[in-house]
Amino acid sequence: CLLRHCGGFPLSNFLARAAGTLGQAAFADIDDAVLDAFQKGVTDIPDAVAREALRLPAGRGGMGLRSAEDSAPLAFIGAVVAARALRHHLVTDACAERLDAVPDPRVEAALAAPEIANAPAVHALAVDLIHTNPPAEGDGRAVKQQRELQGRRDQFLTDSVLERASPELRTRMLSGSTKHASAWLCPLAGAEDPLWIDAAIFVTLVRQRYACPLQPDYSDCQLCGKRGVCDPLGSHT
């Protein structure tokens, strides 16, 4: 399921650009299956806030398990903005006026979706692009607006997770957001036969990233030899 998500998320994004909020139920099922696969196939993350963090980009302390449901309204608005800028090539001016006179309910549904409506910076940009100042062909704002919307949404989600995270989780996420802090998620660059981190070490790193216990109780340090100084999170006390 995780492998399919890597290839399937771009497909769900493509579908969302056409279906918008109409596909939310199906996208939610995909998201649930991905999280379930991670919990069962990689490691169980017991903290609910930490599980939310998994959906953030790696550069924000997440694991990149992007939510198809969360991204769908943004993808649809991005597609509408790009299509409107080219509409004069497809229909007459009179036809365009008639289209504008009858607002598309799918556009209004996307603007009203919580993924947009509940995030002020996202909503402000979406309303500006759709109603206040729609970009025309040749305007740089007419392209890649889904990326801009997604960036604002990512910031909103990151702030929300950090606000509710435990001090330990917050510290580790902020550390994982720094430059090159997530390089271990990729194989060693430049190798003809790329080297991956051993599975057991990978799971340990994931659990450390999200402040999950590595052991049930305190243990002896294998480096300095002191007894009972390593806490359940793997920190030397």
Side-chain angles (χ1 to χ4, degrees):
C1 183
L2 289 171
L3 288 174
R4 288 182 177 180
H5 175 262
C6 294
F9 181 76
L11 176 59
S12 68
N13 180 76
F14 176 81
L15 295 174
R17 289 176 68 87
T21 57
L22 295 177
Q24 290 298 70
F27 295 144
D29 288 341
I30 294 173
D31 291 344
D32 290 343
V34 169
L35 182 58
D36 184 64
F38 186 90
Q39 292 283 89
K40 294 178 178 177
V42 180
T43 186
D44 175 59
I45 305 295
D47 181 60
V49 177
R51 289 198 297 272
E52 289 184 44
L54 296 175
R55 301 198 186 282
L56 296 173
R60 294 184 182 271
M63 289 294 293
L65 302 181
R66 310 312 302 275
S67 168
E69 180 186 19
D70 194 86
S71 298
L74 314 180
F76 186 73
I77 293 298
V80 170
V81 171
R84 279 186 175 180
L86 301 175
R87 186 174 59 181
H88 62 283
H89 292 298
L90 306 175
V91 300
T92 63
D93 291 342
C95 180
E97 291 179 1
R98 290 196 297 271
L99 289 173
D100 289 336
V102 183
D104 188 337
R106 296 176 302 168
V107 175
E108 299 308 315
L111 290 175
E115 294 82 5
I116 291 178
N118 294 349
V122 180
H123 186 259
L125 177 58
V127 170
D128 183 62
L129 292 169
I130 296 297
H131 293 308
T132 308
N133 187 25
E137 183 180 13
D139 185 341
R141 297 169 61 253
V143 296
K144 298 183 179 179
Q145 286 309 303
Q146 181 184 344
R147 179 180 298 178
E148 180 64 26
L149 288 165
Q150 187 67 63
R152 296 189 181 198
R153 178 65 180 169
D154 288 343
Q155 184 62 60
F156 175 82
L157 293 175
T158 301
D159 292 343
S160 175
V161 168
L162 290 175
E163 182 180 356
R164 292 175 288 119
S166 66
E168 183 71 27
L169 175 59
R170 179 183 174 84
T171 298
R172 295 182 184 223
M173 283 188 61
L174 290 173
S175 175
S177 300
T178 57
K179 190 174 182 179
H180 303 309
S182 299
W184 58 272
L185 290 170
C186 301
L188 296 181
E192 293 184 3
D193 185 15
L195 300 177
W196 293 88
I197 295 176
D198 177 79
I201 296 176
F202 182 85
V203 169
T204 299
L205 291 173
V206 170
R207 295 189 68 80
Q208 283 188 324
R209 188 178 179 93
Y210 298 107
C212 299
L214 300 177
Q215 55 189 9
D217 203 348
Y218 282 79
S219 66
D220 301 339
C221 178
Q222 300 299 310
L223 295 178
C224 72
K226 292 184 178 180
R227 302 182 63 82
V229 294
C230 292
D231 68 14
L233 295 177
S235 299
H236 195 292
T237 59

